[in-house]
Amino acid sequence: MAHKIALFVYDFPHRKSHDFIIELAVRRGKNFCVIAAPRKELNVDRRKYFDCSIGMAPPISAEELCRYLGVPYFSVEHEDCYKIEELRKCFDFELGLIAGARIIPGDVIKIFPKGIVNFHPGLIPQTSGLDAFYYSVIKNVEMGVTVHLIDERVDAGGLVFFESLDVGLTDTPEIVQFNNYQLQIKALRRLIDILDFDELKVVPLNRPFKNSPLTSEQKFDALNAYPAWRARQYHIRERQKLFKACVVGDLRSVLDVVEVCPELLESVTPEGWTPLIISSFNGHIDIVEYLLSKGANVNACGFKGTTVFMYAKSQFVNKVDALPPLLSLLIRFGADIDRCDMHGLTVLDYVELAGDKRLLEILRSLEIRK
C-alpha cells in the first residue's frame, strides 16, 4: 500500500534535501508534499578535519526543485504544529520522511498517523547525535544507516531496518562518509519499496543514552584511531563473507577472501566453527580441499569439541557403500578419528550409535592400518 508522504527538508540549498526530493519525485511523481524549514543561524563546528574533499555539483534549493517538478512546497517551521496540521488536513499525508530537519517536537510527530521516519548516518544507539561518523570509530561499531521512526527523544523510536556499509581496506574518511551518504539514498529506495507493498514493521529501538557533541580534540583523536577501526571493520566484513561462502559453496569468494586475508583461515563463528568446519559440514569438497591446501587445521573443533571429521561424516552416515571422497580427503590431510569431544566420544562412537556398521568397519580398518 502506497502511503501518502510529507518530506521534511531545509529551505535552502542542501544536498540531502535535493537528493530525497528527486528520489521521491521519480517514484511518486507529484504525490507528496514538501515541508521546508527556513534557515537559522546556528553555532556549527566548521573546522576542517579532512585532508581531502570529494567535489560535487552544488544542490538546487528545495523550492526551485519543487517548482520545476510541480511538487507542493511549503516553507514552514518544523515545530509549527498549527500549520503542519493544516497541511495534513489539506494533503491527507500519513507518514513523514526526514531529509533535513532539526529536532521535531512530539506534538508534530503525533500529527502523522504512521509516524515520521529518519535516516540516521550511523548505528543507533551507539552513534546517536550529530557526530555519528566519529562515534562509529570511537565506539568501534560498523558504519551504516539506521532507518527508524522517531519519538520525542533524539535518535530513538522504532527501528525499521539498518543498512550496513562495506568499508574498504584503503578507504579514506572522506570516502567512507561519502559512501555512507549514498547509502542513505539506497535506504530511502528500500523504504519506498516497503511502503509500496507492505506496512512498516518496526521493533523497539532502545536508546538509553544520548551522545554529547564531540570537541575538536576528540574528533582528531577519532581520526587518529580511524586506520585501526577501518582494518577491524574490513576484517569483520571479510570474515562474514568467508563464512557465508563456505555455507553456500562459493569457492570464488573463499579464494578472494583467503588470498587477501590469510589470517582469517582459522577465524571462528560464535559457535566456534572454522571455515573448514562449515564447508565440511555442508559437503563442499572443493572448498575443503582448498582450505586444507592453505594450511587449515584439519583437527579443528567447535566449542563442544566436535571435530571437523565429526561434522563432515554426518551427511554420509547410512548412505554410501565406500568411504566418501570428502572423508577420504580429510584423512589424507591428517584427520584424527580417535579424538574425543567434550562427552568423551570419538567419531567411531557416533557412527556406531547411528547403526552404520558399514562405515564403522571402514573407519576401524583405517585405524588398524595406521
Side-chain angles (χ1 to χ4, degrees):
M1 176 189 296
H3 296 271
K4 295 181 179 178
I5 291 173
L7 180 66
F8 288 88
V9 304
Y10 287 129
D11 191 11
F12 51 85
H14 175 251
R15 172 60 55 191
K16 190 171 173 181
S17 298
H18 171 282
D19 290 344
F20 272 43
I21 289 172
I22 291 175
E23 291 290 327
L24 280 178
V26 169
R27 290 291 295 269
R28 293 297 183 88
K30 303 176 185 178
N31 191 26
F32 69 101
C33 70
V34 169
I35 302 174
R39 181 187 292 274
K40 290 183 179 179
E41 291 302 322
L42 302 175
N43 184 20
V44 178
D45 180 8
R46 302 189 185 280
R47 187 166 181 175
K48 182 177 174 62
Y49 292 96
F50 302 134
D51 294 330
C52 305
S53 61
I54 296 175
M56 298 181 68
I60 299 171
S61 72
E63 184 176 13
E64 280 190 85
L65 270 181
C66 289
R67 185 167 64 250
Y68 295 152
L69 298 170
V71 173
Y73 174 89
F74 303 92
S75 181
V76 177
E77 297 284 358
H78 288 168
E79 62 268 25
D80 191 332
C81 297
Y82 174 78
K83 288 186 179 178
I84 293 175
E85 175 64 40
E86 289 299 309
L87 289 174
R88 198 194 77 79
K89 291 177 181 177
C90 180
F91 291 96
D92 197 29
F93 47 72
E94 305 168 292
L95 183 72
L97 304 183
I98 297 177
R102 301 177 187 96
I103 296 175
I104 297 178
D107 288 342
V108 171
I109 298 171
K110 292 174 184 176
I111 293 172
F112 293 77
K114 302 293 185 181
I116 299 176
V117 177
N118 185 41
F119 300 80
H120 179 76
L123 184 63
I124 293 177
Q126 292 91 331
T127 71
S128 63
L130 296 176
D131 297 320
F133 167 79
Y134 300 99
Y135 272 115
S136 296
V137 176
I138 291 169
K139 298 190 176 183
N140 191 31
V141 295
E142 62 183 319
M143 192 75 70
V145 178
T146 301
V147 179
H148 66 106
L149 287 172
I150 66 172
D151 61 17
E152 293 84 352
R153 300 170 298 160
V154 175
D155 295 331
L159 176 67
V160 181
F161 60 83
F162 177 75
E163 195 82 31
S164 183
L165 178 70
D166 283 336
V167 177
L169 197 54
T170 60
D171 287 353
T172 64
E174 297 89 342
I175 290 174
V176 167
Q177 284 207 312
F178 177 81
N179 289 344
N180 206 48
Y181 172 72
Q182 296 301 315
L183 196 64
Q184 293 183 58
I185 299 174
K186 180 180 176 182
L188 173 62
R189 293 175 181 176
R190 178 178 170 185
L191 178 69
I192 294 172
D193 286 338
I194 294 172
L195 296 175
D196 283 347
F197 298 104
D198 202 357
E199 291 289 329
L200 280 182
K201 296 180 176 63
V202 301
V203 296
L205 185 58
N206 181 32
R207 196 219 65 190
F209 54 84
K210 177 184 176 182
N211 289 321
S212 301
L214 294 171
T215 64
S216 295
E217 291 74 16
Q218 289 173 317
K219 291 180 180 180
F220 281 119
D221 286 343
L223 289 174
N224 288 333
Y226 171 81
W229 171 85
R230 176 182 59 190
R232 286 192 296 269
Q233 294 304 310
Y234 178 81
H235 280 84
I236 288 170
R237 189 56 50 85
E238 291 301 291
R239 185 166 63 243
Q240 293 170 342
K241 186 189 301 182
L242 177 59
F243 292 154
K244 181 179 179 180
C246 289
V247 170
V248 302
D250 182 357
L251 177 61
R252 181 69 262 169
S253 292
V254 171
L255 291 170
D256 290 343
V257 174
V258 174
E259 293 301 320
V260 175
C261 304
E263 66 275 12
L264 297 180
L265 198 62
E266 299 299 333
S267 55
V268 296
T269 68
E271 299 76 26
W273 288 30
T274 65
L276 183 60
I277 289 176
I278 297 171
S279 53
S280 296
F281 179 77
N282 288 282
H284 302 308
I285 190 169
D286 54 346
I287 296 178
V288 170
E289 185 169 19
Y290 169 74
L291 294 174
L292 289 171
S293 72
K294 302 300 288 187
N297 181 8
V298 73
N299 290 307
C301 301
F303 289 150
K304 295 183 179 181
T306 309
T307 66
V308 173
F309 198 90
M310 289 177 183
Y311 285 113
K313 61 83 183 150
S314 301
Q315 60 184 304
F316 301 114
V317 172
N318 296 312
K319 288 187 179 179
V320 295
D321 295 329
L323 185 65
L326 175 58
L327 301 185
S328 179
L329 175 66
L330 292 172
I331 290 171
R332 178 157 55 87
F333 273 85
D336 182 1
I337 62 175
D338 294 320
R339 181 165 296 192
C340 296
D341 64 9
M342 65 179 292
H343 304 293
L345 300 176
T346 69
V347 68
L348 296 172
D349 296 321
Y350 284 111
V351 172
E352 184 173 12
L353 288 170
D356 190 341
K357 295 180 180 179
R358 170 203 50 78
L359 183 56
L360 182 62
E361 289 178 1
I362 294 173
L363 295 178
R364 280 178 173 167
S365 70
L366 292 174
E367 280 194 304
I368 293 171
R369 292 201 296 269
K370 284 194 297 184

